[in-house]
Amino acid sequence: QVIAFMRGTKPSCVLIYGPEAMGKATLARAMADEFPELRLIQACPMNGAEIRSLFAYLGAQPLRFMLLMENADTYSPAWRALLNECTGAAVPQNVISVVSGVMCVATSSSSAGFAGFPVRIGLENMELDAFAKTAEELSAARAPYIDTDAAWIRNAAVDYQLDPHDEFNVSSASLIAARFIAAHE
C-alpha cells in the first residue's frame, strides 16, 4: 500500500490493530522510515476546521505524508471526525484531491468501529518460536558484534513467560534482547 501510494496511487487508509505492546505504532513508523520522501505526522485530536486546514496545507506540499493516529479507538468525537475525514466519508468534493496526498494510518486495540479503513493489519501475541526469533533478530540488530545464542534467548523467553505469566509481545522481546546483550557484552 505504501509503495503504491508513493508511486501516485490514491492512498488506502490503514488500520493496525491488536493487543497492547505489539508494536503497532512501531510498524507504522517503520513503514514511513523505508521511504525518505514520505513524511510522518503524528496526529492529535482536532476539530473539523483544523482537519481541513491540515489537509489543505499538506496537499499544497510537494511531498507525500503519512498521518499516524495512535490509539484511535480511545479518543473523543473529535477523533471520530478526523477518522471520517481520513476515510473519505465526510470529505467535501473540493477536498478529495488534497486528501490524496495523505495516507492515514490508525492504531487500535480492535478493528471494531473502523469500517472505513479498507486495509486492516491484525497483530496477535506471539507463540514461543516466533517470540524467540524476534528477540534474536532484535539482539542481532542492536549488537551485531555479538554472536546470537538462540538457546540462551529461548531459555530466557521460557523463563520470562513462566515467572510473571506475561504475554509474548514485541515489548517483551525487546526486553529479552536487552538482557541478552547485557549478559554477553
Side-chain angles (χ1 to χ4, degrees), residues 48 51-52 55 80-92 95 99:
I51 294 167
R52 285 179 182 78
F55 283 137
R80 300 279 182 230
L82 176 59
L83 295 178
N84 283 333
E85 189 86 21
C86 293
T87 59
V91 181
V95 180
V99 176

Side-chain angles (χ1 to χ4, degrees), residues 14 42 51 72 106-107 121 131 151 169-170:
V14 177
Q42 185 91 24
I51 294 167
T107 67
I121 301 169
F131 178 77
N169 56 38
V170 175

Side-chain angles (χ1 to χ4, degrees), residues 1 7 9 11 22-23 35 38 46 59 61 66 73 82 89 105 113-114 124 135 137 144 148 162 173 180 183:
Q1 293 296 323
R7 290 183 177 161
T9 302
M22 285 306 301
F35 300 91
L38 181 63
M46 55 185 74
Q61 304 303 311
M66 177 186 287
D73 55 334
L82 176 59
V105 177
F114 293 94
E124 297 177 8
E137 290 172 359
T148 305
L162 293 177
F180 173 79

